Amino acid sequence: MNRCRVFVLFGISFVLLLCLVFMPSDLAPNKNIILEIWKFQNSTQNSDRLENKNTELPARGARLHLIIQFPIFNPSLGLGEKGSKERQEEIQAIHILCETSQDHLFVKALNLNMDWKLVFYVLGHRMTYKDAFQYASLNLLGKSTIIMNADNYVHAGFEYLDANILSNKTMYTLTRHEILKNGTQCNIKDFCGPKARYIGSHDAWVFRLLAPVPDKVLREINYRPNFLGIEQVLMFHLRTSGGFTIRNPCKILHIVHHHCSQKTRIKNDRHVNGKRLDEFLGVGVHTRGGLVVAPFSGL
C-alpha cells in the first residue's frame, strides 16, 4: 500500500513538472522579469523579479544608469555609437523597459558595441513616467540615474555630475541640444543653445534616489513621455508631493537630440481632449507658476 502511494505521488509530481516545462509562455507566472543581462564577452540568463533590488549589473566604474523604452530604439543611447568615444564610460548600464517580450531579440541582433551594458525588463505596454520612476525606486536606490527620451543621448559635461548634490533630493530636468549634421540641425531649434531662451521643454531627468518615489507622486505621473505638457506635470508633483528641488543645468550637462524625422507613429496622441496634458490637469504655467518651470541654471 505504501509503495502504491509512493508511485502515485511520484506520478503526480512528474505530470506537474511536465506542465510547468511545456506551459505556454503567455500562461506562465511572473511574465514581467528581467530577460537577460549582457556582460562584455559573457551573456548570462537572469530571471530575478523586478522587485529584486540587488540585480547584478556590470561594474566598470561608470556613473549613470539610463532608463528608456525600446520602441523608438536609437543605437546611440549613451553607448558611444553616435556620441563621442571618450564619453562612453558615463553610462554604467542601460535599462530598456520593453513594450513586448520580443524587443530584446531585435536589439541583440544589432550586435551593438558594449552590449554588455544592456538590461531588459518586459513592461508589456508603452512606458509611462510612473513605470520609469517605479523601476528606479525598486532597482536603483543609491545610484545616479537618468530617465531620458529614446531619441536623445548623453553627450558632454557629465564629469561634473555630483552625486552628493543629487543625494540631497535635487533632480535635474534637462533641456536638449542639437548638433550640426552635414551643415544643418535638421531644421530643429537648439533649445539649450548659446542664444536659446527657456521654453519649458525637457527630455531627461537626472536623480539619485535614497528612498522610493512616494506612491502619491507615482499615481499622478502615470502618463507617457510624449504628451505635451508632461514635464510640467512631473515638476509640479515632484516638487509638491515628492519634496525635490528641480534644476536645469542643461548648459553644463548636455544631452543631444538625435531624431531628424518629425513624423510620429500615431497622430494626435500628444494631447488629451485636444489640450496639453498640464492644461487638462490644471497644473499649467498660468495656474501653478514657478512650480512647473525650470529655467536654465547651474548645478
Side-chain angles (χ1 to χ4, degrees):
M1 187 69 177
N2 289 336
R3 183 176 298 178
C4 291
R5 288 180 179 177
V6 171
F7 280 117
V8 170
L9 290 174
F10 177 80
I12 292 174
S13 301
F14 182 72
V15 170
L16 290 174
L17 179 63
L18 288 177
C19 289
L20 288 174
V21 170
F22 294 103
M23 180 184 295
S25 59
D26 58 342
L27 297 179
N30 300 341
K31 279 185 65 180
N32 288 344
I33 60 174
I34 295 175
L35 287 177
E36 190 170 8
I37 292 177
W38 295 356
K39 292 183 178 180
F40 188 57
Q41 296 181 341
N42 181 24
S43 296
T44 59
Q45 291 289 331
N46 187 309
S47 59
D48 290 338
R49 293 279 295 166
L50 175 64
E51 290 78 8
N52 180 6
K53 297 185 180 68
N54 296 316
T55 301
E56 184 183 2
L57 294 170
R60 286 293 185 94
R63 306 178 65 187
L64 278 170
H65 289 261
L66 169 63
I67 298 175
I68 53 105
Q69 183 160 61
F70 167 76
I72 315 174
F73 187 75
N74 171 10
S76 65
L77 292 181
L79 285 172
E81 319 283 335
K82 299 292 182 184
S84 299
K85 294 294 183 182
E86 66 270 16
R87 300 185 182 96
Q88 294 175 359
E89 291 305 318
E90 300 297 340
I91 301 296
Q92 176 170 324
I94 299 175
H95 304 256
I96 302 179
L97 307 191
C98 300
E99 190 171 348
T100 78
S101 60
Q102 303 302 310
D103 293 348
H104 74 293
L105 299 176
F106 175 81
V107 179
K108 189 173 182 178
L110 294 176
N111 294 317
L112 295 173
N113 181 31
M114 293 195 292
D115 59 7
W116 53 271
K117 293 187 177 186
L118 302 179
V119 179
F120 296 91
Y121 173 68
V122 181
L123 194 60
H125 56 261
R126 292 178 68 182
M127 186 187 79
T128 68
Y129 274 117
K130 175 184 177 181
D131 296 320
F133 278 100
Q134 189 170 53
Y135 181 92
S137 295
L138 293 171
N139 293 278
L140 300 173
L141 290 183
K143 300 181 185 299
S144 296
T145 305
I146 179 170
I147 297 171
M148 187 165 63
N149 292 349
D151 58 353
N152 288 260
Y153 62 88
V154 169
H155 179 61
F158 282 82
E159 65 271 19
Y160 300 113
L161 191 65
D162 189 335
N164 292 317
I165 296 177
L166 296 180
S167 295
N168 196 29
K169 296 202 76 171
T170 296
M171 185 177 297
Y172 299 145
T173 176
L174 301 177
T175 301
R176 76 192 190 202
H177 290 259
E178 300 286 338
I179 286 185
L180 291 173
K181 182 178 181 181
N182 298 327
T184 71
Q185 290 180 319
C186 308
N187 296 318
I188 301 175
K189 186 176 180 180
D190 190 337
F191 291 157
C192 190
K195 298 181 180 179
R197 297 180 62 184
Y198 175 70
I199 62 170
S201 176
H202 304 268
D203 279 48
W205 303 79
V206 184
F207 53 90
R208 187 171 186 258
L209 298 178
L210 300 185
V213 174
D215 289 340
K216 184 177 181 180
V217 175
L218 295 177
R219 287 194 298 269
E220 300 292 344
I221 62 173
N222 195 22
Y223 300 97
R224 299 189 308 270
N226 66 312
F227 278 114
L228 290 177
I230 182 62
E231 306 102 309
Q232 286 64 45
V233 175
L234 260 68
M235 281 189 274
F236 176 74
H237 292 292
L238 288 167
R239 280 175 167 141
T240 58
S241 298
F244 288 94
T245 297
I246 308 293
R247 299 176 67 82
N248 181 13
C250 68
K251 293 183 180 293
I252 301 172
L253 309 177
H254 291 206
I255 61 168
V256 172
H257 185 232
H258 186 72
H259 183 197
C260 286
S261 173
Q262 294 300 292
K263 296 180 180 179
T264 57
R265 293 189 305 172
I266 304 173
K267 291 184 178 180
N268 302 320
D269 82 329
R270 304 190 68 196
H271 294 85
V272 181
N273 292 344
K275 294 183 178 181
R276 286 170 51 101
L277 182 64
D278 57 336
E279 295 176 356
F280 176 78
L281 296 175
V283 294
V285 174
H286 299 299
T287 56
R288 300 299 178 179
L291 289 174
V292 295
V293 296
F296 306 147
S297 72
L299 296 172

